[in-house]
Amino acid sequence: MNIIANDKLKCHSKQLTLSTDLTSRDIQPVKSQRSPSPHTYLDNRGTKSQRGTKCTRSQRARERLQTKEHLVGLAVGLGEVELADKLERCHSRLAVLTCGRHIARIIPNFTCEFRLCPDCGRRRSRKLQNKYLPMMRGFMLHHKVTPVHLVLTQTHRKENRKQSAKRIKDSLTRLQRRGFWKEYFKGGTWSLEFTKDKNGLHHTHLHIIGFRRKFFDIELLRGEWLAATGDSHVLNLKPIQDIATGLQEVVKYVSKPLDIRRFGADDLKEFLGLKNMRMFGTFGEFRDFCKDFEPSDNDGDEVSELESLSRDLVEGCACPHPQCGEPLFDLRMSKNELPQFYEQMESSPLGKARQVQH
Ligand SMILES: [Zn+2]
Ligand SMILES: [Zn+2]
């Protein structure tokens, strides 16, 4: 067992806070399963892992490793040596703060920040949740609006990813200029999801959290979307019962923009061309509300209560999991050992992992 040197904690404190692996899920008891998503209709992608509801944490950790290996292979094939190297270094050594039954924090040695990196994607997704959740709650309280999850789709055409994304974003802009939209929606967030159909054509969706002022007939909205796109009326709308879950659903498309393990070299090449494309944004009065709420727009500064509680944890502190309170200790491990560590926690009757010595 190693102890993280204090100076290391200090010099990385900002980055570490943002890159910790702590989510409320991470400090759930190991045996607890996430409840099935209320938005299963959105989970239309190929792999089971991406539905994310049945997999254990060890399986998910293993899949992240495989996804990364696949990406590294593609990057090497394209001669993107620097990218391959960054991906390989990212999260390759981990400092895990654990009580043996729960993981309070995972501190990686390095984060590559590549948009398709599954480790950095999780981190980005948490940052977005931490940033927007308090603002969404504040906005709903202030304006007495109710959130809905709206999925907008477009027809498939022979076009590249960039063209497909631009086409649907332009349609959204046209929709937002229409009187109907302004009358019923006070603002919200959008995010892009890319998939491909069986013919290899891009199937780009928009996931929107819309703050609805009042009820409307969904057929009217379909007509409005048809007017905005010119050829598509296909959409799906569901009320969001719990805004935290709703936001989590939506940002997962930012963290996993596509099924990477089905990616070929051409897909990666095309994706690298999208470097500066925005995948997530705010609109309407919610956008202005966010500016006032956090004028610095300093991504990641807003942290949830849980994360701000956990960012200060060090070895010897009590495990923050409810009804635990066991002392936390640091374990150093390589990326390949993390799935095994999760597995030990999952397979032990007490959910207690052995204290691996390094
Ligand atoms: Zn614990
Ligand atoms: Zn990364």
Side-chain angles (χ1 to χ4, degrees):
M1 180 170 33
N2 287 319
I3 297 170
I4 305 170
N6 271 340
D7 57 344
K8 183 156 186 178
L9 270 175
K10 260 182 239 150
C11 71
H12 289 279
S13 63
K14 174 78 178 169
Q15 190 198 349
L16 295 183
T17 303
L18 301 178
S19 38
T20 53
D21 217 29
L22 181 89
T23 62
S24 53
R25 201 163 65 237
D26 278 330
I27 57 166
Q28 296 299 313
V30 173
K31 283 179 184 166
S32 83
Q33 292 288 327
R34 291 167 70 198
S35 55
S37 159
H39 301 289
T40 42
Y41 70 97
L42 296 172
D43 291 327
N44 52 3
R45 283 177 295 187
T47 62
K48 226 176 187 178
S49 66
Q50 283 183 314
R51 290 180 201 134
T53 48
K54 295 260 163 63
C55 287
T56 60
R57 284 190 295 174
S58 58
Q59 285 168 330
R60 288 199 298 268
R62 207 154 266 138
E63 290 196 352
R64 285 197 298 277
L65 280 179
Q66 288 164 357
T67 301
K68 259 172 131 162
E69 270 168 34
H70 180 62
L71 275 175
V72 168
L74 292 176
V76 169
L78 287 174
E80 296 280 348
V81 185
E82 204 181 315
L83 174 63
D85 177 61
K86 274 165 76 173
L87 276 162
E88 268 186 340
R89 275 193 296 138
C90 174
H91 284 67
S92 58
R93 301 286 316 166
L94 308 164
V96 179
L97 193 58
T98 175
C99 67
R101 291 182 66 195
H102 313 106
I103 290 180
R105 291 178 77 178
I106 294 183
I107 302 166
N109 59 328
F110 172 73
T111 55
C112 71
E113 307 297 335
F114 182 51
R115 201 177 257 181
L116 298 179
C117 166
D119 289 316
C120 294
R122 295 174 82 211
R123 177 180 159 263
R124 193 163 44 247
S125 149
R126 278 196 299 280
K127 274 172 73 177
L128 284 173
Q129 289 176 62
N130 290 334
K131 178 177 175 181
Y132 286 102
L133 190 57
M135 295 195 261
M136 286 182 163
R137 287 192 167 132
F139 189 75
M140 285 159 60
L141 208 66
H142 192 258
H143 290 288
K144 308 267 184 291
V145 281
T146 50
V148 292
H149 185 166
L150 174 63
V151 185
L152 297 170
T153 72
Q154 64 185 0
T155 51
H156 304 185
R157 290 184 196 165
K158 271 194 177 161
E159 58 195 348
N160 64 30
R161 209 181 294 279
K162 198 171 184 173
Q163 289 163 335
S164 178
K166 185 176 183 313
R167 180 157 64 94
I168 201 163
K169 280 162 85 176
D170 288 348
S171 297
L172 178 65
T173 305
R174 283 192 292 276
L175 178 70
Q176 287 171 336
R177 287 193 185 127
R178 297 178 67 86
F180 173 89
W181 184 266
K182 288 179 186 160
E183 187 184 343
Y184 288 97
F185 286 98
K186 214 173 173 67
T189 64
W190 60 267
S191 54
L192 273 178
E193 183 198 359
F194 297 104
T195 55
K196 278 185 176 178
D197 70 9
K198 57 181 185 303
N199 301 314
L201 296 177
H202 288 290
H203 179 45
T204 307
H205 311 40
L206 275 169
H207 289 268
I208 288 174
I209 291 184
F211 294 108
R212 184 166 62 177
R213 298 172 198 260
K214 50 188 172 182
F215 281 95
F216 53 80
D217 180 353
I218 193 162
E219 291 309 318
L220 290 176
L221 182 59
R222 286 189 211 281
E224 292 290 314
W225 183 235
L226 180 60
T229 55
D231 59 6
S232 172
H233 63 275
V234 181
L235 55 85
N236 207 321
L237 183 129
K238 287 229 168 162
I240 293 175
Q241 307 297 346
D242 170 44
I243 190 67
T245 315
L247 178 60
Q248 195 182 4
E249 282 293 317
V250 167
V251 298
K252 85 175 179 203
Y253 300 104
V254 183
S255 62
K256 288 184 202 165
L258 15 84
D259 185 359
I260 299 161
R261 285 197 291 165
R262 287 203 232 158
F263 243 43
D266 286 350
D267 291 305
L268 178 61
K269 200 171 175 183
E270 196 184 27
F271 202 85
L272 290 171
L274 297 181
K275 233 172 199 167
N276 299 316
M277 179 180 286
R278 290 194 67 195
M279 311 274 274
F280 181 92
T282 51
F283 63 84
E285 286 182 42
F286 182 63
R287 181 182 214 152
D288 301 328
F289 185 84
C290 291
K291 281 180 197 152
D292 293 339
F293 196 90
E294 194 182 47
S296 67
D297 195 32
N298 200 350
D299 203 13
D301 272 4
E302 276 296 325
V303 292
S304 68
E305 218 174 288
L306 187 66
E307 191 146 336
S308 63
L309 181 82
S310 308
R311 69 183 353 180
D312 298 325
L313 291 176
V314 290
E315 189 162 44
C317 288
C319 170
H321 184 268
Q323 287 118 39
C324 182
E326 290 284 310
L328 294 171
F329 54 91
D330 283 314
L331 282 181
R332 293 291 181 93
M333 59 181 81
S334 77
K335 61 180 173 186
N336 297 319
E337 289 168 307
L338 183 65
Q340 206 187 327
F341 185 66
Y342 278 131
E343 221 159 53
Q344 284 175 11
M345 293 198 289
E346 287 155 5
S347 61
S348 153
L350 284 170
K352 183 133 187 157
R354 283 195 300 277
Q355 299 186 10
V356 188
Q357 297 289 325
H358 288 282

